[in-house]
Each structure stands twice: as structure tokens, then as C-alpha cells.
Amino acid sequence: MNRSARAFWLRSPGRGELRDITLAEPGEDEVVVRALYSGVSRGTETLVFRGGVPESQHAVMRAPFQEGDFPAPVKYGYLSVGEVEEGPADLVGRTVFCLYPHQTRYAVPVNAVTVVPDTVPAARAVLAGTVETAVNALWDAAPLIGDRIAVVGGGMVGCSVAALLARFPGVRLQLVDADPARAETAEALGVDFATPDGALGDCDLVVHASATEAGLTRALQLLAPEGTVVELSWYGDRRVTLPLGEAFHSRRLTVRSSQVGTVSPAARAGRGYAERMALALDLLADPALDALITGESAFEQLPDLMPKLASGEIPALCHRIRYAETGLT
């Protein structure tokens, strides 16, 4: 079989390149996957691209199949969908999702891939990692029927959370973002939209995903007494100042972190990483989630594309990367 492949590497903060590699012979417990699509997470991946991972978080932030170390050179990414070329007979020819960086072909252990259900197109399956984050966040948040909920931050993660919350019965739900253009995405997801000034208050729960100090401050302001903000944002090396004086204590507000690296302790007993990923892929059968994919480029364009995504020149939720039919570019 062809062992040639190409991979995207961050050579130095703000500068990427494609590297030619040759795969080693796969072991008995491995599969060789030919990439079909991958996704760029505009939040975490662009922070990595800018070199913004704090030194104290270098170990925590490592992706499952990362090579190199922060800040650079590093091969980083975790939203890959491909077709199994070699491996167990029941997997060969199947479409799978893997938490792998942007690379045309790769070999990984069998237990590192999850079969994409027939109800989910491969092109949409790149969202699995982000929807998995949303699943974990909602396990942490534990919303109830009839809750008044706001999701502050209409990026990739925030929109994924809002899309799942839209299925909860009886909730009052708003997606809140400073960019009025996010109203179109909210409509596609079946969610009410508001700018920060127009958002409805008295919320039982606010999920914050804007990665801004102003967004988190507004999330606190939207809470009813005894309400909770579930914080999903990753700030990297930036410090955040919050108004924890004023009415924070008298209203008995809560700020709780949620992070996908650990399965929520609120999940049902026995739910692990594999079960969480399988659930995320099942949820992607909903075509409304296509609204989260806001652009597509060829793999060979990545070195020129990433600076534009990182700077905001190309506004994006999930930007999808398309690979050549042969797996080579």
C-alpha cells in the first residue's frame, strides 16, 4: 500500500507549512486512514497557531496525536474524517472519525477511530469533536425542562451547545452574540437570537463560550438569583477580570468550568470517552448542524489559510478542509 502522506505543521507561531512523510508499517492493532475531510476549530486551533498556549498548560493542551511541542514546531489538530484503507476486515472501507491533526493519511490504533453512522455524511462528521464538547458541557450544566437559558458566544462551540439545547422541551433559549450576522446561524439551528444589549435576563443557566471578558461579564448579568454560568471559553494566556463584588454574592451566583478533556462526573455511570464520541456522532444526523460549517478549502491551502482564520480576515465557525481523492496533494 502507498505509505506516502503530507501533514500540516506549525513551523513557528503564525507560520505553517506542509511536510512530506512516510508512514511506518501499521501494526496488527492499527488501521490506516485516508483523510477525506478535517475541520479547523477557529477557537483553540487559531490560539495554538498564534502561539498563545500558556507554558503552564503545555501538557494539558496536548492533542491525542500531536507531534512536537508548544509553541512550535508542532503538528496540532483533532477533527479528522477518513476512510479506512487497511485494518480489520469489518473496518476496511468504513468512514471513521479520529482526533487526528491535518494529514492526508495516517496510522492509528483501532480504538482511536469511531465509525461514522450511515445517517451522517462524512463532510458533516468533522463537527464530531465540537459536538462532543457540547455534550460534555450539557452533562455539566444539567439543564431542566422549563429552564430559561442563554448561550453567550455564537462561535463553533456556542452554536453546538445551542443546537443541542434547541431539542430540550419547554426551555426559553437565546443565542447571544455581538455579531448580528450570527442571527442567520441561529435561525438555521432553530434558536432565538439576541445581541448582548437585547438579551433576556433572569436566566437559570447561561453557557458562556465567547472567550471574552465582556461576554463573561454579560453572562453573569443575565442570571437570575441562584443561577449558574457554565464557562466553556479557553482564554489561553489572557487574564480575565470579573465583577465579583456588586450583587454576585447577594444573588448567590455560580461560575462553573467545563472542559472536554475529562468526561463530566454528572454523566451516567459507565459513560466514557468512546460512548461520548459515539453519542456526538449520532447527534450529527441532524442536517441543521451543517450551518456550523461556514467555509471549505483544499488541504494544500492550509499554510495560507490559517493566518487568515487566526486574524479574523476569514470569519468562520468551522472551516472544513478537503483532501484529494488519492489522499495525496
Side-chain angles (χ1 to χ4, degrees), residues 17 23 58 63 81 108 112 138 155 178-179 210 229 231 249 273 305 312:
E17 64 183 6
L23 302 182
H58 282 189
V81 176
V108 293
L138 293 181
D179 182 1
S210 80
V229 170
E231 175 59 278
H249 288 284
Y273 295 101
L305 172 70

Side-chain angles (χ1 to χ4, degrees), residues 7-9 21 29-31 33 61-70 74-80 97-103 105-114 277:
F8 176 73
W9 278 74
I21 59 175
D29 62 343
E30 291 187 320
V31 291
V33 178
M61 282 289 293
R62 288 193 68 87
F65 294 100
Q66 174 180 325
E67 293 183 38
D69 297 298
F70 301 121
V74 64
K75 183 175 77 173
Y76 190 85
Y78 46 83
L79 301 173
S80 181
F97 177 85
C98 185
L99 296 167
Y100 205 88
H102 308 283
Q103 187 165 308
R105 179 183 282 113
Y106 49 89
V108 293
V110 170
N111 61 10
V113 300
T114 304
M277 179 58 75

Side-chain angles (χ1 to χ4, degrees), residues 301-316:
Q301 295 175 306
L302 262 173
D304 294 326
L305 172 70
M306 285 299 295
K308 296 176 182 178
L309 290 174
S311 68
E313 179 181 343
I314 297 179

